Amino acid sequence: MSEMTRSSPLPHADDANSGRLTTLLGRAATGRDDQAWSDLWTELYHNGSLEVSHPLVLPALMDMAEGDDADTAAAALHLTGALLVQADQRYETWKLRDQHAPEVARLLTAANRWRQATADRNDYCHLLETVLNLEGDIHWAEDLTWGIVSEEYELDCPDPDGCAAVWVIVGERGFFSTSEDYALSDDAETLPLHPAAPRTLDGLGRRLYELALADGHEDVAHALTYAFGEATCPQCERRFSVVGQVVARSS
């Protein structure tokens, strides 16, 4: 690219954005720049100062997703899936998704390929989320996955009068619900969760459970039985569907 001279016109804002985007995508593609990924999430997803519809975004992320570096591919796929769902919600239409149907199909193929290959638990969970986001049938995959990765959900008791916030814990600390800050209290009241029996799972729950088992992630499959099971509110003792409240909270 030729250098600017004093007689050159000032760059347009779009040119400046394109230049910054090109730099960030190039840094992210090296696979060694966590800050670049953080900046891409901030500017593309959180702040929206750069647009997913920019012609550089999807091709660059697709190249990374179809490359040979597992970490870079997982990061690119996670961001792409989130951006597509955000665009669906922002514009209340699948226009962007439909315009880029061939790219979305290729990204979905890549997500399923890496899903079957990754051994890292959290990367695997995010790839499951990405598959759902790329398919576009639900908008709460991020919230479902977040609880599995962080091993807790913060939900509302479904009591119509408003009862309490309920923490649902699924992981190494146990499988229980509490309405207190268990991390700061040694005697927080807890109640055991009621996991769904695998044979009773249907729909999305069965699909994710069977995928996790087939891919060798038994711990994720086990956690999913609790996500698709029931919890009890410690205050009113009402039992409720965990995933039902995940959906309600995401609506």
Side-chain angles (χ1 to χ4, degrees):
M1 182 179 295
S2 61
E3 294 183 2
M4 285 183 61
T5 66
R6 291 184 180 179
S7 60
S8 300
L10 291 174
H12 295 296
D14 285 349
D15 296 332
N17 284 343
S18 293
R20 174 159 175 74
L21 187 55
T22 298
T23 299
L24 286 175
L25 290 167
R27 285 168 49 196
T30 67
R32 299 182 299 276
D33 196 331
D34 291 341
Q35 186 59 51
W37 284 111
S38 177
D39 291 346
L40 282 171
W41 273 93
T42 297
E43 299 203 31
L44 286 169
Y45 186 80
H46 297 294
N47 293 349
S49 48
L50 296 173
E51 278 283 338
V52 63
S53 58
H54 192 288
L56 292 174
V57 174
L58 286 180
L61 292 175
M62 186 169 61
D63 284 346
M64 293 182 225
E66 294 181 331
D68 297 325
D69 186 85
D71 291 339
T72 301
L77 286 162
H78 188 202
L79 176 57
T80 305
L83 289 173
L84 285 172
V85 171
Q86 185 184 66
D88 294 342
Q89 295 175 315
R90 178 181 296 168
Y91 303 115
E92 297 182 348
T93 175
W94 276 26
K95 181 178 180 180
L96 181 68
R97 189 184 291 270
D98 291 340
Q99 285 176 340
H100 295 278
E103 292 94 333
V104 173
R106 286 174 59 181
L107 287 160
L108 183 57
T109 297
N112 278 311
R113 176 169 65 89
W114 286 112
R115 169 185 61 75
Q116 295 172 27
T118 187
D120 182 85
R121 180 185 187 277
N122 288 352
D123 279 351
Y124 180 76
C125 290
H126 288 308
L127 284 165
L128 278 182
E129 173 192 333
T130 296
V131 167
L132 298 179
N133 283 344
L134 291 172
E135 291 175 345
D137 291 332
I138 66 172
H139 65 273
W140 42 270
E142 178 184 5
D143 297 298
L144 176 65
T145 303
W146 173 251
I148 302 296
V149 171
S150 65
E151 301 187 345
E152 70 175 39
Y153 293 99
E154 183 181 354
L155 304 172
D156 297 317
C157 173
D159 185 283
D161 296 325
C163 183
V166 181
W167 280 266
V168 175
I169 311 306
V170 288
E172 291 186 0
R173 293 163 293 177
F175 299 88
F176 59 87
S177 60
T178 178
S179 59
E180 302 177 53
D181 192 338
Y182 62 95
L184 301 178
S185 176
D186 293 331
D187 57 353
E189 180 185 3
T190 65
L191 292 171
L193 302 180
H194 306 276
R199 67 180 182 279
T200 67
L201 287 170
D202 58 10
L204 181 63
R206 174 174 288 278
R207 180 188 178 200
L208 295 179
Y209 176 83
E210 291 181 346
L211 283 177
L213 278 186
D215 295 337
H217 289 272
E218 291 84 359
D219 58 334
V220 174
H222 184 60
L224 284 165
T225 64
Y226 287 91
F228 284 87
E230 294 184 327
T232 304
C233 174
Q235 290 198 18
C236 70
E237 299 185 348
R238 176 173 178 167
R239 278 176 60 160
F240 60 87
S241 163
V242 175
V243 74
Q245 288 308 104
V246 170
V247 174
R249 196 174 182 86
S250 305
S251 300

